[in-house]
Amino acid sequence: MTYTLQRRVFCGFALAALAPVHAQVAGLGDAINKAGRQRMLSQRMAKAWFGLGLGIQAESARRVLDQSMALFDRQQVELKTFAPAGETRDTYVQLESAWSDYKGLLVGAAPSQDKARAVLDQAGKVLALAHKGTALFEQQAGKPGAKLVNIAGRQRMLSQRMAQFYLASHWNVDSAASQKEIGKAREEFVPALELLRNAPEATTEIKQELALADNQWLFFDNALKARVSSHKAASDVFVSSENLLQVMDRVTGLYARVLG
């Protein structure tokens, strides 16, 4: 599949696929899925913000940012309501505050390089709290399958994190540090695919989706390795990261369904 076709597929349906199935959290499997999706959205919003600032896939970037913010808002309410009192509830109270600060950076003014570092920093703070919430829900589930939902969900985040830092580097925002973060994420992403594929809980449907993920990863990884100074390469990174995200979102949902 060529990048041209990839781009056409992305524009056609990719964004709508991330809408949550349940209006409320249906159980711990769903909680881990949605909590992990918040991690991904923290990085996806920054990616879209950088895309807007750079003029990379600008129309799609605006749609991604708007829909991601709306989805984060909705899931934050659902997860905070579902979270039991104590550390989990406290984590989502803290996340609510960090999200408010992050949202303030993302809206109200056009993206600019002077705000780019602050956006990356706040995206990291939201990510850390969302990750903590996901881990707490995994602990509450107390089943081996819960870890697989968490890992599959983390793959979604890593796809967006690599794209976020690629675009940051393209905009000359801490280029060396950004390239280092891409390398770290890549080193985590590849073995996690193998773990998910070889897990006893992996159904035939999950393995079929992971085969698709392998193909999407090849497109994405090739785009990441292209010259950061190339506008086309940055566009390919944006598009291929969205396509990989869709597959890993389906994998996470399937593992969540196995957990129940």
Side-chain angles (χ1 to χ4, degrees):
M1 184 179 288
T2 66
Y3 278 127
T4 301
L5 181 55
Q6 291 284 98
R7 190 170 291 111
R8 190 155 55 239
V9 170
F10 161 66
C11 291
F13 67 81
L15 294 168
L18 288 173
V21 175
H22 307 289
Q24 297 178 337
V25 178
L28 280 170
D30 192 36
I32 299 167
N33 185 3
K34 288 183 176 179
R37 190 183 283 126
Q38 297 294 76
R39 290 181 301 201
M40 175 276 291
L41 290 171
S42 74
Q43 308 299 284
R44 190 180 189 225
M45 287 183 279
K47 177 192 76 175
W49 187 89
F50 276 105
L52 282 171
L54 287 160
I56 302 293
Q57 293 286 323
E59 182 179 344
S60 296
R62 169 51 63 191
R63 194 160 59 245
V64 167
L65 182 58
D66 290 346
Q67 293 186 357
S68 295
M69 290 179 69
L71 182 54
F72 194 102
D73 267 331
R74 187 158 65 247
Q75 291 187 152
Q76 168 64 21
V77 172
E78 294 172 12
L79 291 163
K80 185 182 174 185
T81 301
F82 183 79
E87 187 177 10
T88 308
R89 179 66 60 82
D90 291 346
T91 297
Y92 280 94
V93 170
Q94 294 170 40
L95 179 55
E96 192 168 54
S97 177
W99 166 231
S100 178
D101 291 342
Y102 188 24
K103 197 187 313 187
L105 290 169
L106 295 172
V107 299
S112 59
Q113 276 183 304
D114 63 318
K115 289 173 60 179
R117 183 68 259 175
V119 167
L120 285 177
D121 289 345
Q122 197 61 32
K125 291 175 183 178
V126 171
L127 170 60
L129 287 165
H131 180 66
K132 182 178 179 182
T134 310
L136 288 167
F137 282 128
E138 180 194 326
Q139 291 172 19
Q140 289 160 33
K143 298 178 182 178
K147 185 175 183 63
L148 294 171
V149 181
N150 191 349
I151 291 171
R154 188 168 172 82
Q155 295 289 82
R156 297 177 298 195
M157 180 278 291
L158 291 172
S159 73
Q160 302 308 290
R161 186 168 177 81
M162 285 183 270
Q164 165 199 270
F165 279 112
Y166 186 99
L167 293 183
S169 184
H170 187 63
W171 215 4
N172 297 315
V173 179
D174 289 350
S175 293
S178 293
Q179 288 299 313
K180 184 176 180 181
E181 290 296 331
I182 292 170
K184 287 165 59 178
R186 181 187 279 113
E187 288 174 3
E188 183 179 346
F189 188 91
V190 175
L193 279 180
E194 283 301 305
L195 188 154
L196 293 168
R197 186 179 359 263
N198 296 324
E201 293 85 350
T203 63
T204 299
E205 188 176 9
I206 287 173
K207 289 180 179 179
Q208 289 172 341
E209 289 291 344
L210 286 170
L212 290 176
D214 287 336
N215 290 332
Q216 297 297 342
W217 167 246
L218 286 176
F219 283 115
F220 184 44
D221 193 38
N222 284 336
L224 288 169
K225 291 173 181 175
R227 289 189 305 112
V228 170
S229 59
S230 164
H231 190 87
K232 180 184 181 302
S235 180
D236 288 341
V237 165
F238 191 103
V239 172
S240 57
S241 72
E242 286 292 306
N243 289 329
L244 178 58
L245 168 59
Q246 306 313 312
V247 181
M248 290 314 307
D249 194 58
R250 291 197 297 271
V251 170
T252 309
L254 290 169
Y255 267 119
R257 193 186 307 168
V258 170
L259 178 63

